[in-house]
Short mmCIF file of all heavy atoms in Angstrom, two decimals:
data_model
loop_
_atom_site.label_atom_id
_atom_site.label_comp_id
_atom_site.label_asym_id
_atom_site.label_seq_id
_atom_site.Cartn_x
_atom_site.Cartn_y
_atom_site.Cartn_z
N GLY A 3 -24.99 70.50 -29.93
CA GLY A 3 -23.61 70.18 -30.23
C GLY A 3 -22.94 69.40 -29.11
O GLY A 3 -22.03 68.61 -29.35
N GLU A 12 -29.11 59.34 -34.14
CA GLU A 12 -30.42 58.70 -34.26
C GLU A 12 -31.21 58.71 -32.96
O GLU A 12 -32.32 58.19 -32.91
CB GLU A 12 -30.26 57.26 -34.75
CG GLU A 12 -29.64 57.15 -36.12
CD GLU A 12 -30.45 57.85 -37.20
OE1 GLU A 12 -31.69 57.73 -37.18
OE2 GLU A 12 -29.84 58.54 -38.04
N ASN A 13 -30.67 59.30 -31.92
CA ASN A 13 -31.35 59.37 -30.63
C ASN A 13 -32.51 60.36 -30.73
O ASN A 13 -32.40 61.40 -31.38
CB ASN A 13 -30.36 59.83 -29.55
CG ASN A 13 -30.95 59.78 -28.18
OD1 ASN A 13 -31.91 60.48 -27.90
ND2 ASN A 13 -30.37 58.96 -27.32
N LEU A 14 -33.62 60.05 -30.09
CA LEU A 14 -34.81 60.90 -30.16
C LEU A 14 -34.55 62.29 -29.57
O LEU A 14 -35.02 63.30 -30.11
CB LEU A 14 -35.98 60.23 -29.44
CG LEU A 14 -37.32 60.95 -29.52
CD1 LEU A 14 -37.75 61.10 -30.97
CD2 LEU A 14 -38.37 60.20 -28.73
N MET A 30 -36.55 83.18 -36.06
CA MET A 30 -35.75 84.39 -35.87
C MET A 30 -35.56 85.11 -37.20
O MET A 30 -35.73 86.33 -37.29
CB MET A 30 -34.39 84.05 -35.27
CG MET A 30 -33.51 85.25 -35.06
SD MET A 30 -31.77 84.89 -34.97
CE MET A 30 -31.42 84.37 -36.62
N ALA A 31 -35.24 84.36 -38.25
CA ALA A 31 -35.05 84.97 -39.57
C ALA A 31 -36.36 85.56 -40.09
O ALA A 31 -36.37 86.64 -40.68
CB ALA A 31 -34.49 83.94 -40.54
N PRO A 39 -46.08 93.85 -38.19
CA PRO A 39 -45.72 93.99 -36.79
C PRO A 39 -44.44 93.26 -36.40
O PRO A 39 -44.17 93.08 -35.22
CB PRO A 39 -46.91 93.37 -36.08
CG PRO A 39 -47.33 92.28 -36.98
CD PRO A 39 -47.08 92.79 -38.37
N PHE A 50 -37.17 105.83 -41.88
CA PHE A 50 -38.19 106.73 -42.40
C PHE A 50 -38.80 107.60 -41.30
O PHE A 50 -40.00 107.83 -41.27
CB PHE A 50 -39.30 105.94 -43.11
CG PHE A 50 -38.82 105.20 -44.31
CD1 PHE A 50 -38.94 103.83 -44.39
CD2 PHE A 50 -38.26 105.88 -45.37
CE1 PHE A 50 -38.51 103.14 -45.50
CE2 PHE A 50 -37.82 105.21 -46.49
CZ PHE A 50 -37.94 103.84 -46.56
N ALA A 51 -37.98 108.11 -40.41
CA ALA A 51 -38.47 108.92 -39.30
C ALA A 51 -38.70 110.38 -39.69
O ALA A 51 -39.34 111.12 -38.96
CB ALA A 51 -37.48 108.85 -38.13
N PHE A 61 -48.89 104.17 -43.49
CA PHE A 61 -49.38 103.07 -44.32
C PHE A 61 -48.77 101.74 -43.86
O PHE A 61 -49.48 100.74 -43.73
CB PHE A 61 -49.05 103.32 -45.79
CG PHE A 61 -49.40 102.16 -46.67
CD1 PHE A 61 -50.72 101.92 -47.02
CD2 PHE A 61 -48.42 101.31 -47.14
CE1 PHE A 61 -51.05 100.83 -47.83
CE2 PHE A 61 -48.74 100.23 -47.94
CZ PHE A 61 -50.06 99.99 -48.29
N THR A 64 -50.25 100.60 -40.48
CA THR A 64 -51.64 100.15 -40.50
C THR A 64 -51.86 98.95 -41.40
O THR A 64 -52.71 98.11 -41.12
CB THR A 64 -52.59 101.29 -40.93
OG1 THR A 64 -52.19 101.74 -42.22
CG2 THR A 64 -52.56 102.42 -39.94
N LEU A 80 -47.93 80.71 -55.47
CA LEU A 80 -47.15 80.79 -56.70
C LEU A 80 -45.79 80.13 -56.61
O LEU A 80 -45.07 80.06 -57.60
CB LEU A 80 -46.99 82.26 -57.12
CG LEU A 80 -48.29 83.04 -57.32
CD1 LEU A 80 -47.98 84.48 -57.65
CD2 LEU A 80 -49.13 82.39 -58.40
N GLY A 83 -40.69 81.52 -53.87
CA GLY A 83 -39.43 81.31 -53.17
C GLY A 83 -38.97 82.55 -52.41
O GLY A 83 -37.78 82.71 -52.17
N SER A 92 -31.32 80.07 -41.57
CA SER A 92 -31.50 79.09 -40.50
C SER A 92 -30.44 78.00 -40.57
O SER A 92 -29.82 77.66 -39.56
CB SER A 92 -32.90 78.48 -40.60
OG SER A 92 -33.04 77.41 -39.72
N SER A 97 -25.60 75.62 -38.41
CA SER A 97 -24.31 74.96 -38.61
C SER A 97 -23.20 75.66 -37.84
O SER A 97 -22.25 75.03 -37.39
CB SER A 97 -23.96 74.88 -40.09
OG SER A 97 -23.75 76.17 -40.62
N PHE A 99 -23.65 77.32 -34.86
CA PHE A 99 -23.84 77.16 -33.43
C PHE A 99 -23.97 75.71 -32.98
O PHE A 99 -24.08 75.45 -31.78
CB PHE A 99 -25.06 77.94 -32.96
CG PHE A 99 -24.84 79.42 -33.00
CD1 PHE A 99 -25.52 80.20 -33.93
CD2 PHE A 99 -23.97 80.03 -32.14
CE1 PHE A 99 -25.33 81.57 -33.98
CE2 PHE A 99 -23.75 81.40 -32.18
CZ PHE A 99 -24.43 82.16 -33.11
#
Side-chain angles (χ1 to χ4, degrees):
E12 298 300 318
N13 186 298
L14 184 60
M30 179 202 68
F50 296 120
F61 174 77
T64 58
L80 303 177
S92 172
S97 66
F99 290 110

